[in-house]
Amino acid sequence: MRRFVTLFVLFLSTIPFGVSISGCNKGTEPVAFCNGGDSGPTTTQAATITLQPIVYGISLNYGEMGQLQRPTATDCKGGNVSVQAFTYGSSDMTIADVEPNNGRLCAGTWNRNSGGGIADFTYCTPTGKSGIAYVAASFNGATSNPLPIFVHPVVTSIVLGGPSSNCSTDPTTACCPLATVGAVTAPPYLENSCISQGSTAQLVARVYAGSGANQTNISCVTGHLQLSAQGATSLNAISPVLSIDPNGVATANQPGSVLISANISGAASSAGFFSTCPPASISLSTPGTTSNPAVVNENNPQPLVATVKDTNGVTLTGLELEYVSTTPTTIPAGPSGVIIPPFAGAASITAVCQPPVCNSASYNQIGLFGNGLPVTSNSVNIFTPGTNSTVLYMASTQSEDVVQVDFTTSVVGSPYQLPYVPNSMVISNDGSTIYMGSATALMTLNAINTLSITRTDSTSPGTVLAVSPSNSALVISDPVRQIISLESTSGGVISTYGGVATHAEFSPDSQTVYITAGNQLLIYSGFTGWTSITPATSAGTPVTDVAITVPAVGAYFAGQTTTARSYCPISTPTTPTNESNVFYPPADSSAAITDRIAATNDGLHILGATAITPTPTLNDLRVQIPAGNASGVPVSIACPQTGTLAFSNTVYKTTLTQVTATSITGVLPASDSSIAFVTYTGTGGVLPAYAPAASGLGTTTYIKLSGAATAPIAGVISADNSIMFAATSGDNLVHVINRSTLTDSSTLAPNLTSPTGTVVPVNMMVQKPRRTT
């Protein structure tokens, strides 16, 4: 405050102060005096007047007009006092003038007594004089704090940067005593670095007037710079990434980068950006158990502990991690990392720091210092012992009927007639809703108890390819209009893209969906929107199916070559604080030919089958993610800041000697990763079952199908992995395969009929678990 004293004394001599006179009180209320006696100032008399903003003052360009905030007045006891009008004055009207009756400001001098009918205080004349004038408000003998008014040339830009090596030739706001209130001890923030959570740094700015050769650094005459972060609710409020105090000292909060705006002279400017160091690793564990997989009984809580360290090795707290499960129907991962399995089954759980919720960044800063990139923990395998019952739903692309079987009674229900013949069938993870596509409309069925149609949407014809794990979005491909739609399950289009899709799969957190569309690969992310990759492979060959990796750091794609793409972008600096990104770059490639493809939950195998002649082939890609990681050792995966996240594989191939296949319709791994079944169209009368090995090629078993069955054309595995349901051609039945003995134990006769009354085979099935009692 020492710098205010001299000018304030001058100011006191220029403002007329009133004299308070206490007269007779004719009212009935007693008068309360401040000193408790019977004379002097009263408690209803203004004692203190406050003029805002105290910390910042007001900064004005030459000739700019402004407005003082209305002051507040309090009495000697701190109570509010109503004041009808204040009187305003300035310590130096050649720098900043103020209209005495309403507090309008002029960075120069107001016109007075201009004549010619021009009213006083109509226009502001700049004097070209930089400096500080102090204004105050007075009323009835009380005077406010002196508020500094900084007058300077017109600000043209504000730039955050590093500290100055010479404050005389290159001043910054850190060089200027008027830019801060009190001493600042935090080190300066360097724009080419990040700081760890809880650390502080002084944001340093340079303020300029003019441009080009005429640009002048005016940092020390503009006053107090007001800084705010993108995403903050108000000026200098706390953002998820950082908080900024009135002196521009930033405290790192959550990982991420954020744009910083500066405000001075009534104009906001994008000044620079700030980075809180991103996570480098997430270690996920199951306290209280050492087995792998960890055994967690039904309805028993099992907490998970995630330890997160940033790129400086600092342990991070308070992160909004996503806990995701590969099998959320039986073993969901709670938002706080607590597992409570409602059913028997198996799953792989990971914790993900997923932008924009965790480690966010502006689009142009994705990848800078590692901000804006996801980080995934090691996988934790969970096994819940027990037996579930199953509710099985069966349908055909040749029938308008759906048949339900509840295996608590094993009675085949009566057919439920749909309004249209379906072409696709998916069920939500919670088992509450079945979505069926058709050439005419989307059909939504309530599957909680008895089947019933809840919605028929003729605006969404096509094939339903996938439903998100959160049951919030569908992927629908309309081959007639050649439009691929991402739609809300409650109705309404989220986004569309041109093309005809064959298969789609969502990531476990529902944030990303991978879509195969022939020679086009589409990926939609809630963070980056659509990414179209054409051609889908470097060889220009189409992709036919997709399997999300475990953990979900990318996906493999079936085709003439089996390829993979990573969710880690390749970032290339374009400026010191901007990045150009290639999203979902190639991560792996194999010469293995696959038509359908699937991933095992243990993260070790990508299984693909092809119907190439003369003999179908099953390929077991033993994958390592990232490349070079020791097989079977799950690791935390952070996206590299340069280069790409690469996968590697070793292919083990087996021919399906007892099968003659015209097409592969599915590769179906059990959730415990112990076995996978291959369904197909053709002949052979067997169901191939492949058991992956810890090393090398696994074993193949051919399960003989009973009766007149010629091929298992569709299948689904019960949630507890005890039964494989195989729908077959030749007999139009569904065969119940005992998982433990790998035998065809019984059959179901759904008796689906075409519109002409002919019995047709089941080629679509979904299931959900239920209690055995």
Side-chain angles (χ1 to χ4, degrees):
M1 296 294 294
R2 290 194 300 270
R3 62 178 180 268
F4 295 159
V5 173
T6 302
L7 287 173
F8 189 47
V9 170
L10 175 63
F11 168 75
L12 292 177
S13 66
T14 63
I15 298 179
F17 299 135
V19 178
S20 175
I21 301 175
S22 177
C24 297
N25 189 342
K26 297 182 180 180
T28 59
E29 294 292 329
V31 177
F33 294 95
C34 292
N35 59 10
D38 56 4
S39 64
T42 66
T43 57
T44 59
Q45 185 175 340
T48 302
I49 301 173
T50 303
L51 193 57
Q52 299 282 3
I54 295 175
V55 173
Y56 303 115
I58 295 176
S59 179
L60 296 174
N61 297 316
Y62 288 158
E64 185 178 2
M65 292 181 285
Q67 177 65 56
L68 292 174
Q69 297 181 28
R70 181 170 176 80
T72 58
T74 57
D75 61 19
C76 59
K77 300 295 185 181
N80 291 332
V81 175
S82 177
V83 176
Q84 289 187 344
F86 293 93
T87 300
Y88 302 91
S90 169
S91 63
D92 189 339
M93 290 190 296
T94 65
I95 295 176
D97 198 358
V98 62
E99 187 173 353
N101 295 327
N102 60 22
R104 289 178 66 226
L105 293 170
C106 163
T109 303
W110 284 118
N111 67 299
R112 290 178 175 83
N113 305 316
S114 303
I118 300 174
D120 291 349
F121 310 109
T122 301
Y123 57 87
C124 174
T125 302
T127 62
K129 185 176 180 181
S130 297
I132 307 171
Y134 295 90
V135 298
S138 63
F139 171 74
N140 208 23
T143 303
S144 74
N145 56 291
L147 187 72
I149 310 298
F150 302 90
V151 176
H152 48 76
V154 176
V155 174
T156 54
S157 66
I158 305 168
V159 180
L160 288 183
S164 174
S165 59
N166 188 323
C167 284
S168 298
T169 59
D170 179 30
T172 68
T173 51
C175 297
C176 314
L178 296 180
T180 61
V181 179
V184 176
T185 58
Y189 173 71
L190 303 178
E191 64 176 354
N192 60 345
S193 65
C194 67
I195 68 172
S196 291
Q197 186 182 71
S199 299
T200 59
Q202 172 71 51
L203 298 176
V204 176
R206 290 167 174 81
V207 185
Y208 296 99
S211 61
N214 296 321
Q215 182 173 275
T216 304
N217 188 322
I218 59 171
S219 301
C220 286
V221 298
T222 55
H224 202 295
L225 200 64
Q226 300 173 63
L227 300 170
S228 62
Q230 183 185 54
T233 55
S234 61
L235 191 65
N236 292 335
I238 296 173
S239 85
V241 174
L242 82 162
S243 55
I244 308 172
D245 78 1
N247 281 333
V249 174
T251 301
N253 294 334
Q254 295 296 311
S257 65
V258 65
L259 296 176
I260 304 295
S261 295
N263 186 291
I264 203 161
S265 301
S269 171
S270 177
F273 106 117
F274 179 92
S275 170
T276 297
C277 294
S281 65
I282 305 174
S283 176
L284 193 64
S285 61
T286 53
T289 178
T290 58
S291 61
N292 185 20
V295 178
V296 183
N297 292 324
E298 287 185 38
N299 300 313
N300 282 8
Q302 171 62 58
L304 301 177
V305 174
T307 302
V308 187
K309 293 185 179 294
D310 75 1
T311 50
N312 291 332
V314 174
T315 299
L316 301 175
T317 60
L319 271 64
E320 291 191 52
L321 299 177
E322 295 179 351
Y323 294 87
V324 295
S325 168
T326 56
T327 320
T329 300
T330 55
I331 306 177
S336 61
V338 177
I339 301 169
I340 306 177
F343 296 103
S348 176
I349 311 293
T350 52
V352 185
C353 175
Q354 179 77 276
V357 175
C358 177
N359 193 30
S360 63
S362 300
Y363 191 87
N364 290 341
Q365 274 82 42
I366 292 175
L368 189 61
F369 310 129
N371 295 133
L373 301 178
V375 181
T376 298
S377 75
N378 57 291
S379 298
V380 172
N381 295 320
I382 305 295
F383 172 68
T384 299
T387 302
N388 309 318
S389 184
T390 299
V391 182
L392 181 67
Y393 302 92
M394 299 165 284
S396 173
T397 55
Q398 302 174 55
S399 173
E400 292 181 345
D401 295 335
V402 179
V403 172
Q404 170 183 330
V405 179
D406 187 336
F407 279 85
T408 56
T409 62
S410 297
V411 175
V412 178
S414 300
Y416 178 79
Q417 187 173 12
L418 302 169
Y420 308 105
V421 175
N423 57 26
S424 50
M425 183 182 194
V426 298
I427 189 170
S428 60
N429 270 324
D430 62 7
S432 66
T433 311
I434 295 173
Y435 302 94
M436 305 188 77
S438 76
T440 306
L442 169 67
M443 297 171 286
T444 301
L445 283 74
N446 183 334
I448 295 176
N449 293 306
T450 304
L451 283 175
S452 61
I453 286 280
T454 59
R455 185 166 68 94
T456 301
D457 188 350
S458 60
T459 66
S460 299
T463 304
V464 180
L465 300 178
V467 58
S468 65
S470 62
N471 194 25
S472 60
L474 297 168
V475 178
I476 300 175
S477 177
D478 182 356
V480 176
R481 295 182 298 167
Q482 298 193 8
I483 293 176
I484 301 165
S485 300
L486 185 67
E487 300 191 8
S488 168
T489 52
S490 60
V493 174
I494 299 171
S495 188
T496 62
Y497 211 93
V500 178
T502 55
H503 291 92
E505 186 173 354
F506 281 90
S507 60
D509 63 2
S510 302
Q511 298 300 309
T512 306
V513 62
Y514 298 83
I515 305 169
T516 57
N519 206 27
Q520 181 181 44
L521 175 60
L522 294 174
I523 304 165
Y524 181 85
S525 163
F527 185 38
T528 57
W530 287 102
T531 297
S532 173
I533 301 169
T534 306
T537 66
S538 59
T541 54
V543 287
T544 57
D545 197 8
V546 55
I548 303 288
T549 62
V550 179
V553 296
Y556 275 84
F557 303 92
Q560 291 299 303
T561 57
T562 301
T563 56
R565 291 188 176 268
S566 161
Y567 74 173
C568 294
I570 298 177
S571 301
T572 304
T574 55
T575 71
T577 58
N578 282 278
E579 297 278 324
S580 173
N581 286 285
V582 176
F583 294 106
Y584 305 99
D588 195 9
S589 181
S590 170
I593 301 173
T594 50
D595 301 333
R596 297 298 306 273
I597 198 170
T600 57
N601 279 345
D602 59 11
L604 301 180
H605 304 269
I606 297 294
L607 303 177
T610 179
I612 59 173
T613 56
T615 306
T617 301
L618 175 68
N619 292 285
D620 180 352
L621 280 67
R622 182 64 184 267
V623 295
Q624 295 180 5
I625 303 174
N629 172 45
S631 299
V633 180
V635 296
S636 174
I637 301 173
C639 293
Q641 294 184 31
T642 58
T644 185
L645 175 64
F647 313 155
S648 62
N649 74 85
T650 302
V651 181
Y652 298 97
K653 182 182 296 185
T654 183
T655 55
L656 303 178
T657 55
Q658 298 187 29
V659 171
T660 300
T662 56
S663 68
I664 302 297
T665 58
V667 178
L668 310 171
S671 63
D672 62 7
S673 307
S674 63
I675 198 165
F677 301 92
V678 179
T679 58
Y680 58 94
T681 60
T683 59
V686 296
L687 173 67
Y690 177 77
S695 62
L697 182 65
T699 58
T700 303
T701 302
Y702 297 94
I703 304 169
K704 178 62 178 175
L705 299 171
S706 63
T710 55
I713 59 176
V716 66
I717 303 174
S718 64
D720 62 4
N721 300 308
S722 64
I723 299 174
M724 164 68 176
F725 300 98
T728 54
S729 58
D731 58 4
N732 301 329
L733 301 178
V734 172
H735 293 246
V736 179
I737 309 299
N738 186 296
R739 164 67 184 86
S740 61
T741 61
L742 294 181
T743 57
D744 187 345
S745 60
S746 61
T747 59
L748 303 171
N751 292 318
L752 297 177
T753 58
S754 69
T756 61
T758 303
V759 176
V760 295
V762 172
N763 56 12
M764 297 183 295
M765 289 190 295
V766 294
Q767 68 85 38
K768 67 177 181 180
R770 64 162 296 171
R771 301 292 178 196
T772 56
T773 57

